[in-house]
Amino acid sequence: MQGEYKNGNESKTNAKRFINLTSYNKTPNNGCTRFSYSGEDRQARDYLLSQMQGLGLYIKVDAIGNIRAIFGKEIDKPSIIIGSHIDTVENGGKFDELTGVLAALETIRVLKEEQVTMSRPIELIIFAEEEGSNFGSTMLGSKVLTGKIGVDDLKSIKNGEGDSAYDLAKNFGLNVEDVGKDVLGSNEVDTMIELHIEQWAILETQRKSIGIVQAISGMKTFKVTLEGDSNHAGTTPMDLRRDPLVGAATIISYIQQMARSQALPTTVATVGKKSASARLATYKLEHSAMR
């Protein structure tokens, strides 16, 4: 690389990018909420696409909404992919996903400004619906890109209001029927790198500034429905009660106990969503996840 890279003005520019993107937020006074296929998602996408266009990148938005922007497309070799996602969980952190996207954007900008001779193309990728906040099914964009799911799967994956992933993506202006055309070929990718903030405090407690991921947790999610009997709360004898909420409390307690004592040190388990109906005598545990 020729010359000395000076980062004073660039640091201010990147801080401004963070500020701009975090402003696209449905809950500005309570964390950051930016679901895929929402108005806030549209605003963030438009801003980032304008930044990519300013760098002269070759841009493609695929049928599920993944954004792929290539620098050095003329180089006929598999790409080095860098990036992350811009959707969030409800009331999530501001920097969780944006760090990887903006770091990728800045990397390409520096390579372009310094006129670095590259041996491979660099591809910035922004995955759609990575968090799974809409449907409780994570990494939809990644799964489409790798051929794990298709149109029929997207029609069957639904949110709490009954809207399918297919319909939400289509209403967002995407050609969802073409998802089969967007599967990555084995000769398209050389390496994938994602910069991510630490989501706990292990590096901080060990006073380390960066860690290299050596393995990724496999996640299993379950939806459990417990059914009981609906009877009078004041007169039904205790030995005749079948309260699903009591059973749910036992299960929730056991899930944590099992993760602590009967699994690997890195295993975690949680119950992420709960709902109860006394009249129907049902209790639902949703998104019970084990990693």
Side-chain angles (χ1 to χ4, degrees):
M1 183 179 294
Q2 300 295 317
E4 180 183 353
Y5 178 53
K6 300 176 181 179
N7 64 3
N9 291 331
E10 289 78 7
S11 295
K12 294 179 181 178
T13 299
N14 286 318
K16 184 178 179 181
R17 288 174 182 151
F18 267 115
I19 292 170
N20 286 337
L21 284 167
T22 55
S23 70
Y24 307 135
N25 175 13
K26 188 177 181 179
T27 56
N29 297 317
N30 187 17
C32 191
T33 303
R34 184 173 48 253
F35 288 2
S36 291
Y37 315 126
S38 66
E40 295 78 23
D41 183 37
R42 175 86 68 190
Q43 290 175 305
R45 285 168 172 269
D46 289 345
Y47 175 78
L48 287 166
L49 287 169
S50 70
Q51 296 287 306
M52 297 173 193
Q53 289 163 355
L55 290 172
L57 306 186
Y58 173 82
I59 304 169
K60 176 186 177 181
V61 180
D62 70 16
I64 196 64
N66 297 315
I67 299 175
R68 300 176 62 185
I70 302 177
F71 175 55
K73 189 177 186 298
E74 68 281 358
I75 304 172
D76 188 22
K77 288 187 178 180
S79 297
I80 297 172
I81 293 183
I82 52 178
S84 190
H85 60 102
I86 59 174
D87 64 309
T88 73
V89 297
E90 188 170 10
N91 311 122
K94 290 183 178 181
F95 306 116
D96 179 0
E97 64 294 322
L98 295 184
T99 301
V101 171
L102 292 183
L105 190 68
E106 178 66 5
T107 298
I108 292 175
R109 188 188 67 77
V110 172
L111 291 172
K112 183 178 177 70
E113 287 188 358
E114 296 294 329
Q115 299 181 8
V116 174
T117 300
M118 302 186 305
S119 59
R120 294 187 181 278
I122 306 292
E123 179 173 340
L124 192 167
I125 193 162
I126 301 175
F127 295 106
E129 187 58 18
E130 195 74 358
E131 292 285 9
S133 299
N134 276 313
F135 311 103
S137 179
T138 59
M139 299 179 285
L140 284 193
S142 303
K143 289 173 181 173
V144 166
L145 204 60
T146 54
K148 300 295 184 183
I149 60 174
V151 171
D152 290 341
D153 300 297
L154 294 172
K155 288 180 177 179
S156 67
I157 296 170
K158 297 184 179 182
N159 62 16
E161 287 71 47
D163 301 314
S164 70
Y166 177 94
D167 288 334
L168 254 64
K170 185 177 180 179
N171 293 337
F172 198 65
L174 300 168
N175 298 318
V176 198
E177 288 289 338
D178 292 337
V179 292
K181 300 177 182 178
D182 297 319
V183 177
L184 277 175
S186 58
N187 61 340
E188 288 188 65
V189 182
D190 177 77
T191 305
M192 166 73 190
I193 304 171
E194 179 184 11
L195 177 67
H196 205 286
I197 64 166
E198 185 183 23
Q199 293 180 296
W200 184 228
I202 296 173
L203 292 178
E204 182 180 354
T205 55
Q206 295 182 3
R207 304 184 68 82
K208 295 179 179 179
S209 59
I210 193 168
I212 307 299
V213 175
Q214 295 178 310
I216 298 175
S217 301
M219 184 170 69
K220 292 285 187 180
T221 61
F222 305 90
K223 180 183 286 187
V224 179
T225 301
L226 305 180
E227 296 183 353
D229 289 334
S230 180
N231 280 306
H232 196 285
T235 61
T236 305
M238 294 304 295
D239 61 338
L240 297 179
R241 295 182 181 226
R242 295 178 65 244
D243 187 344
L245 197 57
V246 175
T250 302
I251 292 173
I252 292 170
S253 177
Y254 179 71
I255 286 173
Q256 184 164 132
Q257 179 185 353
M258 181 177 62
R260 290 178 182 272
S261 61
Q262 300 180 35
L264 296 172
T266 54
T267 299
V268 298
T270 186
V271 177
K273 187 176 180 181
K274 304 168 289 294
S275 62
S277 173
R279 179 167 294 180
L280 298 177
T282 62
Y283 189 80
K284 295 181 180 180
L285 307 180
E286 298 185 32
H287 310 159
S288 175
M290 294 191 66
R291 298 172 186 258

